[in-house]
Amino acid sequence: MKQKKMVESTISIKDSEMKSYFNQNKDSLATEAQVKASHILVADEKTAKEVKAKLDKGEDFAKLAKEYSTDTASKSDGGNLGYFKKGDMVEAFANKAFSMKVNEVSDPVKTEYGYHIIKVTGKKEAQKATYENSKAKIKQTLLDQKYQTEYPTWLQKLKKKYDITNKLDS
C-alpha cells in the first residue's frame, strides 16, 4: 500500500486523458437497468403454492423465506438478493422480476433450481454514462494502469539511489 501511494504521487493524469478514455469507453461506463428483489426458493410446486397462499393471507415474506427457502445464500437475510442486472439471473427468473412492480409478489416461477416466489423491492433505471458521473472511476482506472507501467521504473530508481546489493543470490 505504501509503495502504491508513493508511486501514485508521482503520476499525473490530465483532464484530456480522462475525456479521451471516457469517449472510448462510454458504453462500458453506462449502467444497465437493475432490480432489487427477494425470493423464496422451494423444491416443488406444491410447497410453492402453499407459501404463496400464506403470503396472500398477509404473512411476512422475510419470515417465510427464512422458514421455507432452500437458497442457503439468501434465506437468512429474508431471501434478499440485492440489486442485479437482467443477465445476472436465469432467464425465467429475470424476465419475471423485471416485469414486476415494486412491492409486487409473483406467483411461483419455475427454473432449473426449483420454484421461486419473487418480491421486487426496488428498481433502478438504465443510465447513460456522463463524463461528470464517471470522472472518479476513470481517474482510478487510469491511475491503476499507469501504476503498472511506472512501478518498475520507480523501483529501479530507488535501487540505484540507495545502492542495494542482493547477497542472497550466491
Side-chain angles (χ1 to χ4, degrees):
M1 294 284 291
K2 282 185 178 181
Q3 286 176 341
K4 189 167 185 180
K5 291 271 186 222
M6 291 171 72
V7 174
E8 285 179 353
S9 69
T10 67
I11 297 172
S12 68
I13 297 173
K14 296 176 184 151
D15 202 44
S16 60
E17 291 175 272
M18 291 174 54
K19 286 180 180 173
S20 175
Y21 183 91
F22 174 77
N23 290 329
Q24 292 171 6
N25 296 281
K26 233 183 255 189
D27 292 340
S28 66
L29 294 166
T31 56
E32 295 178 45
Q34 296 180 17
V35 166
K36 183 178 183 186
S38 296
H39 78 142
I40 300 170
L41 174 64
V42 295
D44 58 81
E45 188 175 14
K46 181 183 174 213
T47 307
K49 286 181 178 179
E50 183 183 316
V51 172
K52 175 65 170 143
K54 288 182 178 193
L55 289 165
D56 290 344
K57 289 179 185 172
E59 289 196 38
D60 184 62
F61 192 95
K63 183 180 172 195
L64 291 173
K66 289 175 185 177
E67 183 180 340
Y68 284 94
S69 188
T70 59
D71 181 357
T72 55
S74 71
K75 77 183 280 176
S76 65
D77 193 20
N80 182 16
L81 299 169
Y83 277 97
F84 55 87
K85 298 178 296 242
K86 200 165 193 174
D88 293 343
M89 300 292 178
V90 293
E91 187 176 4
F93 185 98
N95 287 343
K96 185 62 182 176
F98 275 82
S99 71
M100 296 169 61
K101 295 177 182 145
V102 174
N103 294 320
E104 184 179 354
V105 177
S106 75
D107 288 327
V109 176
K110 187 178 191 304
T111 71
E112 62 259 33
Y113 300 104
Y115 290 82
H116 306 262
I117 299 168
I118 306 164
K119 180 178 181 180
V120 171
T121 56
K123 286 192 169 196
K124 291 181 183 177
E125 297 298 321
Q127 291 185 332
K128 290 185 176 184
T130 64
Y131 178 68
E132 286 303 314
N133 292 344
S134 305
K135 275 173 95 169
K137 187 175 183 179
I138 293 169
K139 186 172 187 173
Q140 190 57 53
T141 300
L142 292 174
L143 203 54
D144 291 344
Q145 288 175 358
K146 286 188 174 193
Y147 173 78
Q148 295 300 320
T149 58
E150 295 293 325
Y151 177 74
T153 306
W154 175 82
L155 192 58
Q156 285 302 325
K157 285 180 184 175
L158 274 183
K159 284 180 180 178
K160 285 181 183 175
K161 182 178 178 181
Y162 292 105
D163 194 29
I164 298 170
T165 306
N166 184 354
K167 297 191 180 207
L168 297 174
D169 282 342
S170 51

